[in-house]
Amino acid sequence: MALSTGSDSEPLGVAVGNFDSDSRLDIAVVNFRACDVMVFVRYRSQPFLSMTTYSTGNESRPQSMAIANVNNDYCLDIIVANYGNDNIGVLFGYGNGTFMDQTVYTTGNGSKPCYVAVGDFTNDSW
């Protein structure tokens, strides 16, 4: 099965997670040229029937992403490295396959972040 991200979207990264708490894996794709994240949600035994696009900002040029429960609410979130806007964006998940609009955290003027990583860097179980 092929999933379309649209012409000239230039997908650079893909991540898999259970975004809607149904025990089935869903797919997120970060699109460099389209400056967005696409989330493909699978329902029951059906193929991916739902696709939602989330903007990462005008000229953001997202490079990569990671999936994690950033705010400890038991819902997966999407973390995006926005190369063009010198920031990291977080799309906080609702746990039903949808996400809030991106919350932006600056990485400094000219930093051009390319990759993101998640982990428990402070050893506090988060």
Side-chain angles (χ1 to χ4, degrees):
M1 169 193 305
L3 300 173
S4 175
T5 58
S7 62
D8 289 331
S9 61
E10 198 171 335
L12 288 186
V14 64
V16 177
N18 182 8
F19 302 132
D20 58 354
S21 305
D22 67 353
S23 75
R24 291 173 180 81
L25 293 177
D26 308 304
I27 298 174
V29 179
V30 65
N31 295 309
F32 177 80
R33 194 168 293 185
C35 298
D36 63 26
V37 172
M38 293 179 139
V39 176
F40 296 88
V41 176
R42 182 173 181 188
Y43 292 106
R44 299 188 182 102
S45 62
Q46 301 298 314
F48 296 92
L49 297 177
S50 173
M51 186 273 295
T52 306
T53 303
Y54 299 91
S55 175
T56 55
N58 198 23
E59 300 298 321
S60 60
R61 304 295 185 227
Q63 297 275 315
S64 67
M65 71 178 142
I67 306 297
N69 178 5
V70 175
N71 56 349
N72 205 24
D73 65 354
Y74 303 103
C75 302
L76 290 178
D77 309 306
I78 300 173
I79 306 95
V80 182
N82 292 317
Y83 177 88
N85 289 345
D86 298 326
N87 65 50
I88 299 297
V90 179
L91 289 84
F92 292 102
Y94 290 115
N96 63 1
T98 63
F99 295 82
M100 290 183 204
D101 288 338
Q102 174 181 247
T103 300
V104 174
Y105 301 91
T106 186
T107 55
N109 192 28
S111 59
K112 309 290 184 207
C114 292
Y115 303 100
V116 290
V118 293
D120 182 6
F121 301 116
T122 58
N123 201 27
D124 62 358
S125 300
W126 279 47

